[in-house]
Amino acid sequence: MRYGTGVALCLAAGAIWSLMGLGLRQIEAASVWQILFWRSVGMIPVLLGFMWWTSKGRPLAALRAVGLAGIAGGLGLVVAFAGAIYAFQTTTVANAVLLFAASPFVAAVLGWLILREAVRPSTWIAIAIAVFGMYLMVSDGLQTGAFAGNMAALLSAAGFGIFSVALRWGRVGDMMPVAFLGSIFSLIFAAGVLIFRGEPIPALPQDMAVAFAIGFFVVAMGMVLFTLGSRVVPAAELTLLSLVEVLLGPIWVWLALGETASQNTLIGGGVLLAGVVFNAVLGARRPGNEGVAETS
């Protein structure tokens, strides 16, 4: 695959993921756990099919290869998926996606604490910048009543951080089996919560269809495109390309539904994104980051 093709695939993935908030706004009555269940149902066939293709018909071998790290990463994705859904339902799309952008910094801190990975001084500066931006956004939630949604978005970012650290801990080169485990765990966990709370697993037909479509087309297809593209794009550039989701997500709900963001969200989000870009640009200048990732 050519480098330009990889960039195009990653950009396409970000554009597809950016439709998440708009899609969830179409849900009428389904709860977070019903949405998580039916979205997971939509994700599973796509991820299984891609894993079957890349493993040459041996998906079980691919699952066994990820080991305990895959299980830990999959559980992290349960937190990330559930937190994201709740955040989109209880705060603005702009708030949610901007706070999601903090996940690389959460991963850096977790990697430092758990794996004893060194963190560049420039990354600590970027983390400080991002924390200030997040403070502005979260404090705004106290005034607008969206504090719980903001906390859920940060919890989601933490879940993605756990997912990333688990991959590095287990030296897992292929994230797709871990994502598949995450979808299975999410389905089981959501069903368990619904049964425990005495709520039905089926929702309104329209809500089930929307949640399934989000899982199938938005989440899973986006993962497939991003996985393919990431094979020939350096990690620091992937961070920048993924910002397409952050930038487009609020635009779709503004154009379609007239949903706007507060001044503090825009200021704090701008500060947060500045930290992300600062870290990614300096990371791209490090020796060894100028090339492309190994292709397979």
Side-chain angles (χ1 to χ4, degrees), residues 105-119 124 165 168:
F105 299 132
V106 176
V109 173
L110 289 176
W112 175 63
L113 291 173
I114 299 172
L115 305 180
R116 302 301 180 187
E117 293 178 339
V119 178
W124 285 120
V165 170
R168 299 205 295 269

Side-chain angles (χ1 to χ4, degrees), residues 211-275:
F212 181 91
I214 290 173
F216 191 97
F217 295 106
V218 177
V219 182
M221 292 302 296
M223 283 184 175
V224 169
L225 294 177
F226 192 82
T227 300
L228 291 172
S230 65
R231 294 176 177 178
V232 293
V233 179
E237 291 183 29
L238 288 174
T239 301
L240 294 174
L241 294 174
S242 67
L243 294 182
V244 171
E245 175 190 3
V246 177
L247 298 174
L248 290 181
I251 294 176
W252 301 139
V253 292
W254 173 64
L255 291 175
L257 306 174
E259 180 178 299
T260 57
S262 68
Q263 182 177 2
N264 272 13
T265 293
L266 296 176
I267 296 174
V271 173
L272 172 58
L273 291 183

